[in-house]
Amino acid sequence: MMRVLLCNCSASLPLPTVTPSKPQTLFTTTTTTTTSTTLNWPQKTLISALTGALSLGLAVSPLSSLALPSPLNQPQNHSTEYCRQEEREDSFDAAPESITDEGIVEEAWEIVNDSFLDTGRHRWSPDTWLRKKEDILATSIQTRSKAHDMIRRMLASLGDPYTRFLSPAEGDEVLAVNGVDVKGKSAFEVSSLLQGPNETFVTVQVKHGNCGPVQSIEVQRQLVARTPVLYRLEQIENGATFVGYVRLKEFNALARKDLFTAMKRLQDLGASSFILDLRDNRGGLVQAGIEIAKLFLNEGETVIQTVGRDAQYQTNIIAETAPLVTAPVIVLVNKNTASASEIVASALHDNCRAVLVGERTFGKGLIQSVFELHDGSGVIVTIGKYVTPNHMDINGNGIEPDFQKFPAWIEVTKHLSKCHRLQEG
């Protein structure tokens, strides 16, 4: 049994030096979501995929004070049939109870061999990885614990801090949310089903382990965080011009809605230019970042590109509608601006919609996916990376700002005009 706590916590950070005025804030409920991809390997919606695997803030802790009605605590009768059905659908011949310790290690090896993307450390190659397999087949693995240790060492040899092993205890599988079957849904869709008003309840059906009991758990949603969006209107040039300042602390599933509302209100109040503060924003929900970037882009402009060894990871994400905002934008960044924040910053920068001011960004642009092994353990593998509209690799490089210090707005206008001329030429 476990208690699931939805949380979205963010530290308070200093705002830029601008003329003080009373800030207006937007209040949001908490949420947590992530993205998922579909591969030939068995992938399921795991509790871990919604939590620490992608650092998103769905906290799972042992059940203590939350008492559940007894019917919800009983394993369901169809758990064995569900397990048998899953076995028939999997592409592997071996049943979970009969797979060997060597087979579990080889399973993990195959996943990396088929899907892993080397992101620049150059420790992976087909030849070196084949030798790993030969070493595995030549080794006698006598316990499951030793098999798991071997997988950990094998993944560590890749030199990728984001590719790692999940023990069976970290891999409880979500089957349904409020009676809605989640099979075939992405983790983003599943976590969206978990959202709701503060102190309301949601019923989550989970399966423990590969063929463990199925259990329904009633969970109370809890609001423990502040809104990710703060905004205010600033006067410049002796009060003749208004600038809308928006601080986005993190990307959750409500970030786009709150930012949209803030921008509309600031426009209605007379803002003719905007400051989007992404300093110390380490990311969160990538999809939220993509949708926020689209608010500033023209239809058909590229938001971000994804690159992977598999063709399904080679995509070009574009804006589908006219922009909400066409006024000049300054995006504030620093060394802690990462992941989804870098997607937004590069999209606005490369499409000549904004100038970047501050420090070089962190440089996190990798895509991970969670794969379940037949004994209920799993591996998280880096399977792709993000590339900016101007074909710059974000990961390990970051994004260089246009200005280190806050520029005059006339400089911003000139810079954006020059950017447009270069694009058209």
Side-chain angles (χ1 to χ4, degrees):
M1 294 185 295
M2 64 185 65
R3 182 183 180 189
V4 182
L5 172 66
L6 296 180
C7 66
N8 176 14
C9 305
S10 176
S12 177
L13 296 165
L15 301 180
T17 304
V18 287
T19 306
S21 66
K22 185 177 180 180
Q24 305 175 58
T25 61
L26 299 172
F27 188 70
T28 66
T29 58
T30 58
T31 185
T32 177
T33 101
T34 182
T35 55
S36 178
T37 50
T38 303
L39 290 174
N40 294 329
W41 290 98
Q43 288 185 296
K44 303 172 184 177
T45 305
L46 307 179
I47 290 288
S48 60
L50 300 175
T51 56
L54 296 178
S55 305
L56 289 173
L58 176 66
V60 179
S61 59
L63 183 67
S64 54
S65 60
L66 182 62
L68 303 179
S70 56
L72 294 177
N73 289 326
Q74 301 302 318
Q76 305 297 309
N77 293 331
H78 63 272
S79 61
T80 303
E81 178 58 32
Y82 181 90
C83 179
R84 290 172 180 167
Q85 180 181 355
E86 287 296 302
E87 290 172 27
R88 289 195 298 269
E89 293 173 354
D90 285 346
S91 59
F92 298 96
D93 294 328
E97 61 270 18
S98 65
I99 193 166
T100 65
D101 296 323
E102 290 83 359
I104 288 293
V105 179
E106 190 170 353
E107 228 185 312
W109 182 93
E110 293 283 356
I111 290 170
V112 172
N113 188 62
D114 289 351
S115 304
F116 176 71
L117 179 69
D118 185 10
T119 57
R121 294 177 181 268
H122 306 299
R123 296 190 184 183
W124 187 94
S125 72
D127 290 339
T128 58
W129 199 242
L130 182 59
R131 286 196 292 272
K132 287 280 184 187
K133 184 176 183 179
E134 293 169 350
D135 292 341
I136 293 169
L137 295 177
T139 303
S140 175
I141 308 172
Q142 298 180 352
T143 66
R144 190 53 50 92
S145 176
K146 289 184 177 179
H148 291 170
D149 287 341
M150 180 171 283
I151 294 173
R152 289 187 181 94
R153 292 194 299 271
M154 183 173 68
L155 298 180
S157 72
L158 296 170
D160 176 16
Y162 306 104
T163 295
R164 63 188 183 90
F165 176 76
L166 293 174
S167 69
E170 299 173 279
D172 285 346
E173 180 188 349
V174 180
L175 302 182
V177 178
N178 275 344
V180 178
D181 189 351
V182 303
K183 187 173 182 180
K185 296 183 183 296
S186 69
F188 174 85
E189 294 171 302
V190 174
S191 55
S192 296
L193 292 173
L194 293 170
Q195 299 171 44
N198 184 37
E199 297 185 352
T200 61
F201 287 85
V202 60
T203 300
V204 182
Q205 189 180 65
V206 299
K207 180 164 68 73
H208 304 292
N210 194 50
C211 281
V214 174
Q215 183 180 39
S216 290
I217 304 171
E218 190 175 44
V219 182
Q220 185 177 24
R221 299 177 175 106
Q222 297 185 20
L223 179 66
V224 294
R226 298 177 180 179
T227 174
V229 177
L230 302 172
Y231 70 95
R232 62 173 178 254
L233 190 69
E234 299 290 346
Q235 290 182 312
I236 61 174
E237 298 178 356
N238 297 322
T241 305
F242 294 92
V243 176
Y245 169 83
V246 182
R247 164 95 168 110
L248 184 57
K249 296 188 290 184
E250 62 181 332
F251 293 86
N252 60 30
L254 296 180
R256 181 198 179 279
K257 181 179 76 70
D258 287 355
L259 187 117
F260 181 94
T261 302
M263 300 293 284
K264 286 288 290 183
R265 290 181 180 175
L266 290 169
Q267 283 182 316
D268 292 342
L269 291 171
S272 58
S273 54
F274 292 90
I275 299 170
L276 178 60
D277 192 348
L278 298 179
R279 293 175 302 172
D280 296 298
N281 184 330
R282 296 179 179 270
L285 176 61
V286 167
Q287 189 61 37
I290 290 171
E291 296 304 318
I292 284 173
K294 291 179 181 179
L295 296 177
F296 298 86
L297 303 183
N298 295 312
E299 182 179 359
E301 290 182 328
T302 296
V303 178
I304 197 73
Q305 299 174 355
T306 62
V307 175
R309 288 173 57 206
D310 194 299
Q312 66 180 311
Y313 302 128
Q314 299 175 18
T315 61
N316 186 36
I317 302 171
I318 63 172
E320 304 94 352
T321 59
L324 169 68
V325 174
T326 58
V329 180
I330 289 176
V331 179
L332 302 181
V333 296
N334 66 6
K335 62 183 180 181
N336 293 322
T337 300
S339 191
S341 292
E342 291 175 291
I343 290 175
V344 173
S346 64
L348 272 61
H349 175 269
D350 288 6
N351 286 289
C352 304
R353 291 293 298 111
V355 298
L356 307 185
V357 177
E359 304 172 312
R360 179 185 290 271
T361 62
F362 181 82
K364 168 65 168 70
L366 299 180
I367 306 168
Q368 284 81 38
S369 191
V370 183
F371 301 84
E372 187 180 26
L373 304 179
H374 263 99
D375 69 342
S377 62
V379 289
I380 301 172
V381 179
T382 295
I383 48 84
K385 63 181 178 180
Y386 293 103
V387 178
T388 75
N390 285 347
H391 311 291
M392 298 295 293
D393 189 350
I394 293 175
N395 193 67
N397 300 311
I399 306 166
E400 185 70 29
D402 301 299
F403 302 92
Q404 292 183 341
K405 296 182 179 180
F406 204 92
W409 281 101
I410 187 64
E411 293 182 75
V412 174
T413 303
K414 290 180 179 178
H415 189 94
L416 295 178
S417 297
K418 181 180 178 181
C419 179
H420 281 294
R421 289 197 300 271
L422 289 174
Q423 280 194 343
E424 293 169 356

